[in-house]
Amino acid sequence: MPVRQILTDPDPVLYKKCHPVTKFDKRLASLLEDMAQTMLAANGVGLAGPQIGMVRRVCVVLDTNNDDKIIELINPEVIATEGSQTGSEGCLSFPDKFGIVTRPNVVTVRAQDRNGEWFTVTGQGLTARAFLHEIDHLDGHVFTEKVTQFIEPSDEEDEEE
């Protein structure tokens, strides 16, 4: 399970819309394991395929509400949101760049697991923020598009996504 290189802005791969995953095999399982290791090694709470050069709809998120379990999301889609939260956000692909972003506080996502089985998962707080941040990556969008105010890294309190 090697740690992969994380692409940084302005790499054009970060701005590409990802293709759906159609093959659920050992190669996908290996990719998911590499992504989890890469995210953890970088002290992140989420990592999407394009951040490691894979233009596929796959991401991993640390569930901060559930003993830091890693949630694997393949072909994810947001099916419900509620509430609102405004806070500091960063990104592993934008080192030392942080900003204030408003997102829903509770997010329910429908996705496939590594075997292709559909499931739903609900996250709140930082986990909800990470779900939306990573799904944005899969659609070719980055958090800086949503920032209302950039802040200094020393002011940043949340982990990077």
Side-chain angles (χ1 to χ4, degrees), residues 88-90 96-100 143 149-151 153 156 160:
S88 171
E89 196 165 310
D96 300 322
K97 190 171 263 190
F98 302 91
I100 302 299
F143 90 105
Q149 175 186 349
F150 286 97
I151 57 177
E156 187 273 332
E160 294 181 38

Side-chain angles (χ1 to χ4, degrees), residues 10-155:
D11 194 300
V13 173
L14 295 172
Y15 300 90
K16 292 186 180 220
K17 186 170 174 71
C18 294
H19 306 288
V21 172
T22 56
K23 279 182 92 171
F24 296 84
D25 56 13
K26 288 181 182 175
R27 208 166 152 200
L28 175 63
S30 179
L31 171 65
L32 290 163
E33 289 161 15
D34 290 356
M35 289 178 69
Q37 290 303 312
T38 301
M39 175 189 69
L40 294 172
N43 294 317
V45 294
L47 188 71
Q51 292 181 276
I52 59 165
M54 301 298 298
V55 188
R56 295 285 178 264
R57 295 191 66 78
V58 59
C59 58
V60 292
V61 171
L62 195 64
D63 187 353
T64 59
N65 303 313
N66 188 14
D67 296 326
D68 289 344
K69 174 184 160 199
I70 295 174
I71 302 170
E72 300 172 345
L73 301 171
I74 302 160
N75 300 321
E77 50 194 58
V78 176
I79 58 173
T81 64
E82 73 180 68
S84 178
Q85 61 172 309
T86 299
S88 171
E89 196 165 310
C91 180
L92 296 172
S93 292
F94 289 79
D96 300 322
K97 190 171 263 190
F98 302 91
I100 302 299
V101 176
T102 298
R103 296 191 185 268
N105 192 50
V106 179
V107 176
T108 301
V109 174
R110 179 177 183 261
Q112 289 172 281
D113 65 18
R114 64 174 57 203
N115 300 311
E117 299 297 320
W118 288 97
F119 69 98
T120 59
V121 61
T122 299
Q124 64 182 56
L126 183 57
T127 302
R129 180 179 293 277
F131 282 166
L132 294 172
H133 180 108
E134 302 314 327
I135 292 170
D136 279 352
H137 272 300
L138 302 181
D139 292 326
H141 297 288
V142 294
F143 90 105
T144 55
E145 296 171 30
K146 297 186 182 303
V147 169
T148 56
Q149 175 186 349
F150 286 97
I151 57 177
E152 293 299 313
S154 60
D155 297 340

